[in-house]
Amino acid sequence: MLDKVPGKHCQATNFLKTFSSIREAGSMGLLEEESRDKLLSGMIQSLTRFLLKQVSQDYINMYPAPPMFDQTFSTSAIESVCCMRCKTKTVRPGDTYVNELTYPFKTVAKGQAKAVQFPFRQILKISMEGEKILKGWCNNCNRYSDLSSKKTINRIPQVLLLNAAANTMESKKLWASPGWLPEEIGIILDSGQIYCYEGEELRIHLRRGLHHITLYELVGFVADITKREGQASHLVSLINVALSSPQPQAESDWHVFNDFRVDKVSFEEALRFEPSWKVPSVIGYQIKAARHKIDDSWKKELGPQKSDSYRLLTPEEAPQQGTIVALDAEFVALKQEEIEIKADGTRETIRPARLGLARVSVLRGSGNLEAVPFIDDYIATTEPVVDYLTAYSGIKPGDLDRRISTKNVVSLKIAYKKLWILLNLGCVFVGHGLTKDFRTINIQVPKEQVFDTVVLFHKALQKRKLSLRFLSWYLLREEIQEGEHDSIEDSRTALKLYRKYQEFEDAGVFETILNDIYSKGRETNFKAPGALRTQSDSYNDRRGTDSPDLIGLNSSTPGPRTPTPMRGQAGLQVSHAHPSHLQQPPPSWPANMRGLGQGFGGSHLR
């Protein structure tokens, strides 16, 4: 998402919403707001294990065989446990998604423990094979005894994840040794044992070619950052993005992801650790053979679809770079806004309403089937809906319920995936108020991939943003939104307006037309005269706004509110022609514009 909007903040809203709804996440203390006393370093290590286990289970439910996820992330092993008293052995599965590093200690003078200055490769071998002595219950002795444990490795993963577990000052000093964390490691798996190599020793084995060596390279890691002693720490990620670039790069390209901020850093700075303020938490390696390999199979499928209310795309219509599509989205309120009424009677929004995506419609933007929908999804919600906002969304109770809905109801994941695919294929989105829609959906779209008719038909230095209904009445001579919103009607109207904009620009008269639009708007209070009065109109008249404020408006200033730059009202009914007295273009339009075609073209200018 971040590479789509360089310099802008991005939030993982959809992920956080889903994650916080998982009961086990709360009970395991993985939610920061519910576990403020826990160390973030330990939380992120637990989170890594939990997420991989959860995704693995979901993957098995979707694809029972073969277990591709486990082959990618899991270290397959058998763990042997032996009682050192009675020598009884037990064997159990020892598979793990995350290997926790173990640091050897030796006893020195005065009983102090000090970490042995082992290289990283030896620490890795000791940790993966899991050879250790621990206290445990022996069923044969019927008592707690010293138990020896060791793993026999059957398969090493393609993605090797490690928990640093650097909890002591001595282990932190190991990490602080310059160059201690290698960029590349090699692992040989032989008869259940692994042999790890790095540096010059690895290069020698590669030159000899006597053994099959699985070569890993460092992708990145999560580090725990402490500003000052006594202050709360925070986590950052340092990633070598060069490995996932489509084209090979000669050098590494490290970036630090610090909350919403992303900065490029040098290799030396990225891999420099300090015991007092920068300690690693989770480290990730992947096989070197996977470098620059991008899975683009998503381009072939938009996900499960029905074709009741729209026509699916044919292979010949497959979206490509620059393909025009018209989009509109509708939302429902999942949490009401909290408003404080002050002593002077003014209102101030304490917490804005939280909206959830309810419907997405996407139409073809060109071709013989221009303006025909190919996506019209209603999004199932697992949260209670406090307000369907029917007057503005067209969504009614039951529309989002899979059990009783007559609509094409899909999960948020599927709806988001379709938009993400269109975005990454390079489609150009046309719509009215798309900036707000994309922000609420939580998808970042580059400016060059958006034609927003709110922006196109906005006059510089004017606060007023024109509603879709008013523009349709004035430019297209069509009355829309006479009842409730219909996202197909709105997106189709926005597409027509975009075509009109192109015609005006080609003729060199757009500024003249825009001035006329605003002049007429001031005469009619920017409303479509003669249109049926709707619930939305009454609501907006009372509020003094051009469109409903769904997210909350700071109203601490008394007096009429400034019109919000949002969409106008919408409806489900089919557009109607204008009254006869509006059939002719305004007299101020240039003569060469009087014969412009209606709707999607028909103009000699294009």
Side-chain angles (χ1 to χ4, degrees), residues 124-140:
L124 180 60
K125 174 180 172 61
I126 293 171
S127 304
M128 291 187 68
E129 292 184 343
E131 187 170 1
K132 54 194 174 187
I133 305 295
L134 67 159
K135 282 284 187 180
W137 181 263
C138 176
N139 290 327
N140 188 54

Side-chain angles (χ1 to χ4, degrees), residues 494-511:
L495 184 58
K496 292 181 181 181
L497 290 173
Y498 171 64
R499 295 304 184 198
K500 280 293 184 184
Y501 168 81
Q502 290 181 307
E503 292 179 2
F504 297 151
E505 282 287 350
D506 287 350
V509 296
F510 176 71
E511 291 300 325

Side-chain angles (χ1 to χ4, degrees), residues 363-408:
L363 282 59
R364 296 164 174 83
S366 59
N368 297 331
L369 297 178
E370 183 171 329
V372 174
F374 64 92
I375 294 176
D376 187 28
D377 291 340
Y378 288 73
I379 289 77
T381 177
T382 57
E383 298 183 70
V385 177
V386 299
D387 192 345
Y388 284 91
L389 304 169
T390 304
Y392 325 113
S393 68
I395 306 298
K396 299 181 177 65
D399 284 350
L400 309 182
D401 190 336
R402 295 179 186 269
R403 298 168 299 176
I404 61 177
S405 179
T406 59
K407 313 297 184 181
N408 180 41

Side-chain angles (χ1 to χ4, degrees), residues 408-426:
N408 180 41
V409 182
V410 302
S411 66
L412 176 63
K413 176 182 177 181
I414 293 297
Y416 191 91
K417 174 186 174 183
K418 294 179 184 180
L419 295 179
W420 186 87
I421 289 174
L422 294 174
L423 166 64
N424 285 276
L425 286 174

Side-chain angles (χ1 to χ4, degrees), residues 483-533:
E484 301 158 355
H485 265 219
D486 179 2
S487 53
I488 290 180
E489 179 187 54
D490 288 358
S491 51
R492 182 177 289 127
T493 302
L495 184 58
K496 292 181 181 181
L497 290 173
Y498 171 64
R499 295 304 184 198
K500 280 293 184 184
Y501 168 81
Q502 290 181 307
E503 292 179 2
F504 297 151
E505 282 287 350
D506 287 350
V509 296
F510 176 71
E511 291 300 325
T512 302
I513 301 300
L514 190 59
N515 289 332
D516 287 338
I517 295 174
Y518 271 85
S519 296
K520 190 65 177 180
R522 284 186 283 270
E523 294 176 12
T524 64
N525 196 23
F526 293 91
K527 296 187 182 297
L532 295 176
R533 189 169 182 78

